[in-house]
Amino acid sequence: ILSHSLQAKMSRPVQARRLEGIDKNIWVEFVKLAATYSKVNLGQGFPDFPAPDFLTEAFTRALSGGNHMLHQYTHAFGHPPLVKVLAQFFEKLLGQDLDPMTNVMVTVGAYHALFCCFQALVDEGDEVIIIEPFFDCYESMVKMAGGTPVFVPLRLNPPKDGKLMSSADWQLDPAELASKFSERTKIIVLNSPNNPLGKVFSRGELGLIAELCVKHDVLCISDEVYEWLVYDGKQHIRIASLQGMWDRTVTIRSAGKTFSATGWKVGWVVGPDRLLQHLRTVHQNSVYHCATIAQEAIAQGFQRELMLYGKPESYFVQLPKELQQKRDWLVQSLDAVGMKPIIPEGTYFLVADISQFKSDVPDVPNSDEPYDYRFAKWMVKNKGLAAIPLSAFYSEAHKNNYTNFIRFCFAKEEATLRAANDILQKWKEEKTS
Ligand code: PMP
């Protein structure tokens, strides 16, 4: 009788309702597939080249130098040397005075910054506009906070002259965007440069978003983790610097992308105190402190970049130059085999059209899995090349319109990109022989 009653108690639901429908995660599945099968991993977004020496040396100095206090907690919302230099640095870029203690907050990567934003600013029933395709966690985080995501897609206007597509060919339809704003809209999420397309939003597009935000009194969460990775002389424009936007924008950044050290998981938010004070409430009730030594090293990295700003030796000048070259190699490799690349204006990523490859991938009977998922799984298992299906970056309702693309990461060593090229060339030869 006792064991029966114990068992009966075990049948109560254990999962919190807010987790319903968000348990699946593309990264868990595809990172595992890549670990098992890939010879060349162009899936998840991280560099396989080293972080710059000045940064790793700063870390080593912090670790073994004389200041033993760097092994202890630091200021909860950000290590003082880091928030100070971030305030100095972004003050210049935004043309806005920044107080290190109230306008900057350090987080466990940009991911945690996003979590703080959604938890702090979204209420039950609030609508949050998300531009598709989007970094997938935005949707889950809005839902976890009790909000309702409202999606608006970038529409593809393909070039007519037979040229390769560019991420700039994916554009917002102004009327469609305006139609998504309602009395319930609390926030719009902007990600420029955009993961996965590599789109860098133009001044006109940002102006339109800003105008709608002001008109409807809506906040903006601007995810700018790829702000330094912009190519072909394009300019990254910070929406917080547009008229009327500072007071309603929180901008998210990541040392991982800034200094090619994604494993350090240092991110931060810049914004007005009236918004950041609520983010601090989530921060103090989730992680409260971030790792001190990593913050100290990032602070030194920014000291260096502040001195070298705009000079050829600056890492923020060198890294995009190197990545642009890598992008161009991958564009060539993909174009040569008929996997039509969409040339990205920014980020680590390149999306390619795989509609010419349908006959390579066997149909799976009775499967409702989209073609891009089947293709990416088949490719890693049979060719050893890992990439991510694009439809993973769309909402359930729109997924099926975007199943002919996959995303590659080109922030890789030359040797890695060469190995990817070899796989693609061999594949092409097999197809034509
Ligand atoms: N935002 C975007 C758009 C990203 O691509 C990523 C990382 N892939 C993040 C946020 C998270 O960054 P972090 O690693 O600093 O948490």
Side-chain angles (χ1 to χ4, degrees):
I1 290 167
L2 184 65
S3 81
H4 180 77
S5 68
L6 278 178
Q7 248 177 12
K9 271 192 181 157
M10 294 286 287
S11 68
R12 87 194 305 174
V14 291
Q15 182 209 56
R17 270 195 304 278
R18 67 180 166 276
L19 302 190
E20 272 165 25
I22 61 166
D23 49 339
K24 275 223 186 87
N25 180 299
I26 166 90
W27 305 108
V28 175
E29 185 179 12
F30 276 83
V31 166
K32 192 166 159 208
L33 278 170
T36 314
Y37 297 106
S38 78
K39 293 193 204 80
V40 179
N41 184 2
L42 304 187
Q44 205 185 5
F46 59 88
D48 68 350
F49 48 82
D53 288 345
F54 67 81
L55 194 77
T56 48
E57 282 159 13
F59 195 99
T60 314
R61 272 199 308 277
L63 186 69
S64 51
N67 186 359
H68 66 271
M69 289 313 288
L70 292 176
H71 294 274
Q72 307 305 328
Y73 296 133
T74 181
H75 181 68
F77 305 121
H79 187 45
L82 179 58
V83 286
K84 275 183 200 151
V85 72
L86 290 173
Q88 264 180 300
F89 197 93
F90 286 98
E91 210 160 61
K92 281 214 317 199
L93 297 179
L94 292 168
Q96 169 78 42
D97 284 344
L98 295 179
D99 172 40
M101 294 301 163
T102 58
N103 296 133
V104 185
M105 182 182 88
V106 176
T107 55
V108 185
Y111 224 100
H112 177 233
L114 288 163
F115 180 78
C116 290
C117 288
F118 290 118
Q119 287 293 318
L121 306 174
V122 176
D123 252 331
E124 205 71 40
D126 284 345
E127 291 187 356
V128 177
I129 298 176
I130 297 176
I131 301 168
E132 292 177 306
F134 60 90
F135 184 46
D136 61 303
C137 72
Y138 301 159
E139 179 179 8
S140 319
M141 286 197 191
V142 169
K143 287 183 175 162
M144 213 174 358
T148 307
V150 173
F151 300 98
V152 57
L154 290 165
R155 300 275 177 198
L156 171 61
N157 300 303
K160 295 196 177 56
D161 45 10
K163 276 202 303 205
L164 286 177
M165 273 186 279
S166 146
S167 56
D169 297 326
W170 296 66
Q171 290 157 5
L172 285 169
D173 173 333
E176 188 177 20
L177 176 65
S179 76
K180 302 293 175 185
F181 283 75
S182 78
E183 271 160 31
R184 289 180 301 279
T185 311
K186 178 84 180 278
I187 297 171
I188 181 165
V189 185
L190 172 70
N191 173 214
S192 180
N194 163 276
N195 172 12
L197 280 176
K199 177 184 171 66
V200 176
F201 283 68
S202 68
R203 190 173 286 280
E205 288 168 309
L206 296 174
L208 175 69
I209 294 170
E211 209 176 283
L212 288 164
C213 285
V214 172
K215 180 171 168 199
H216 295 275
D217 195 17
V218 162
L219 303 175
C220 178
I221 297 176
S222 185
D223 178 342
E224 301 184 20
V225 298
Y226 299 104
E227 66 185 332
W228 303 109
L229 308 181
V230 175
Y231 313 126
D232 307 317
K234 283 255 153 59
Q235 199 197 352
H236 169 64
I237 296 161
R238 298 172 174 82
I239 195 162
S241 68
L242 300 194
Q243 197 172 16
M245 289 307 286
W246 165 254
D247 276 331
R248 56 180 71 252
T249 303
V250 281
T251 305
I252 291 172
R253 304 191 157 92
S254 162
K257 314 291 156 133
T258 301
F259 289 120
S260 312
T262 58
W264 289 24
K265 291 296 290 184
V266 175
W268 63 93
V269 185
V270 174
D273 188 37
R274 77 165 189 126
L275 299 178
L276 259 62
Q277 64 173 329
H278 306 299
L279 272 58
R280 290 196 289 272
T281 308
V282 179
H283 193 288
Q284 79 205 9
N285 290 299
S286 52
V287 298
Y288 197 39
H289 282 93
C290 305
T292 309
I293 287 187
Q295 292 187 68
E296 171 72 19
I298 300 292
Q300 295 192 23
F302 264 99
Q303 290 288 2
R304 175 190 188 271
E305 288 304 309
L306 192 59
M307 250 164 35
L308 296 176
Y309 187 70
K311 302 214 169 101
E313 309 91 285
S314 159
Y315 192 64
F316 302 164
V317 172
Q318 283 177 352
L319 181 64
K321 244 178 147 170
E322 282 169 28
L323 285 181
Q324 183 172 321
Q325 172 71 73
K326 292 173 191 293
R327 174 199 70 171
D328 293 344
W329 284 331
L330 187 60
V331 164
Q332 275 172 16
S333 300
L334 293 169
D335 194 29
V337 300
M339 228 182 252
K340 283 186 251 113
I342 301 169
I343 299 173
E345 304 155 276
T347 75
Y348 283 170
F349 306 112
L350 187 166
V351 171
D353 183 336
I354 48 166
S355 46
Q356 309 285 324
F357 284 70
K358 290 222 163 103
S359 58
D360 288 55
V361 184
D363 261 333
V364 183
N366 303 324
S367 156
D368 56 2
E369 201 166 41
Y371 167 58
D372 59 344
Y373 272 73
R374 282 193 287 118
F375 181 90
K377 286 182 186 175
W378 178 88
M379 186 169 75
V380 71
K381 286 182 188 165
N382 293 276
K383 303 291 173 190
L385 180 59
I388 305 289
L390 185 71
S391 64
F393 301 89
Y394 280 88
S395 62
E396 210 49 50
H398 299 159
K399 256 184 199 333
N400 288 333
N401 303 334
Y402 299 92
T403 60
N404 282 334
F405 300 96
I406 52 172
R407 189 200 78 173
F408 293 96
C409 172
F410 57 81
K412 302 292 172 187
E413 295 273 22
E414 192 177 337
T416 311
L417 296 171
R418 240 188 253 286
N421 184 58
D422 292 346
I423 290 175
L424 291 165
Q425 280 302 330
K426 200 161 148 238
W427 188 354
K428 189 189 173 196
E429 282 155 24
E430 283 164 10
K431 269 163 87 78
T432 48
S433 67

